[in-house]
């Protein structure tokens, strides 16, 4: 009698176990983080002019209701992005970045200036602001 009762509980427990659906972060809204900005470099936030800071905030505001999928459909010189390899960066990279890290680039003054960072889930961690086209080779 005890064994039957245990078996019955086990089969009932199986029906109650449901794994959560994995989150598709490409469908989530893009979130920006300034947490990892390398402000001690030539490409830090403090090096931006007042006008560039305003352009940066405006560009983030324009993307506030966009998912990664939405941005992927847009031109890299508009609201979209491009990916670059870490080797393309022309300065010493932070230790927390690995050789296989993919960097993402968003424009923040029309098609001119770039913010460069990396992505974790739906968060874009900004590292640098390339306002003079010298951080990496632009194509």
């Amino acid at each position: 009698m005890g064994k039957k009762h245990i078996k019955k509980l086990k089969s009932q427990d199986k029906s109650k176990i449901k794994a959560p659906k994995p989150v598709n972060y490409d469908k989530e809204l893009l979130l920006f983080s300034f947490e990892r900005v390398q402000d001690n470099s030539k490409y830090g936030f403090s090096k931006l002019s007042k006008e560039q800071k305003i352009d940066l905030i405006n560009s983030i505001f324009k993307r506030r209701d966009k998912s990664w999928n939405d941005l992927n459909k847009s031109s890299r010189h508009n609201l979209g992005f491009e990916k670059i390899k870490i080797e393309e960066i022309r300065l010493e990279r932070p230790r927390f970045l690995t050789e296989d890290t993919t960097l993402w680039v968003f424009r923040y003054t029309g098609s001119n200036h770039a913010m460069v960072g990396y992505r974790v889930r739906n968060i874009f961690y900004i590292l640098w602001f390339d306002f003079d086209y010298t951080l990496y080779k632009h194509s």
Side-chain angles (χ1 to χ4, degrees):
M1 184 163 131
K3 289 182 181 180
K4 286 183 182 180
H5 182 66
I6 291 172
K7 286 182 183 178
K8 192 173 187 179
L9 285 176
K10 285 183 180 178
S11 66
Q12 286 175 352
D13 288 344
K14 286 181 185 178
S15 66
K16 292 180 184 178
I17 298 173
K18 293 187 180 183
K21 275 188 161 182
V23 177
N24 182 347
Y25 290 103
D26 287 339
K27 292 182 179 179
E28 298 292 315
L29 296 180
L30 164 65
L31 301 176
F32 287 89
S33 174
F34 288 82
E35 177 185 359
R36 296 289 185 138
V37 172
Q38 304 298 295
D39 210 38
N40 58 346
S41 78
K42 173 185 173 183
Y43 306 100
F45 182 80
S46 62
K47 305 298 190 272
L48 298 176
S49 70
K50 182 180 177 181
E51 293 78 20
Q52 290 168 337
K53 289 176 182 175
I54 291 169
D55 288 342
L56 172 65
I57 296 305
N58 282 330
S59 75
I60 290 172
F61 188 77
K62 287 178 187 175
R63 293 175 173 101
R64 75 189 182 286
D65 60 350
K66 306 288 186 231
S67 71
W68 284 89
N69 281 341
D70 295 336
L71 296 168
N72 192 33
K73 296 172 190 172
S74 186
S75 161
R76 69 185 170 115
H77 287 286
N78 191 2
L79 293 179
F81 54 82
E82 66 180 308
K83 296 179 191 178
I84 62 172
K85 295 180 181 178
I86 191 94
E87 303 90 48
E88 294 182 48
I89 296 297
R90 295 178 175 152
L91 75 157
E92 188 176 335
R93 68 176 179 257
R95 290 185 179 171
F96 59 84
L97 297 177
T98 62
E99 292 177 9
D100 62 340
T101 301
T102 298
L103 295 176
W104 301 67
V105 179
F106 286 95
R107 301 295 189 272
Y108 66 92
T109 53
S111 62
N112 297 327
H113 302 132
M115 57 182 132
V116 179
Y118 64 99
R119 177 183 172 181
V120 176
R121 297 185 178 130
N122 61 318
I123 303 169
F124 177 65
Y125 290 91
I126 304 167
L127 295 170
W128 303 287
F129 302 95
D130 189 7
F131 49 85
D132 66 358
Y133 309 105
T134 60
L135 177 62
Y136 67 97
K137 183 180 178 181
H138 293 256
S139 51

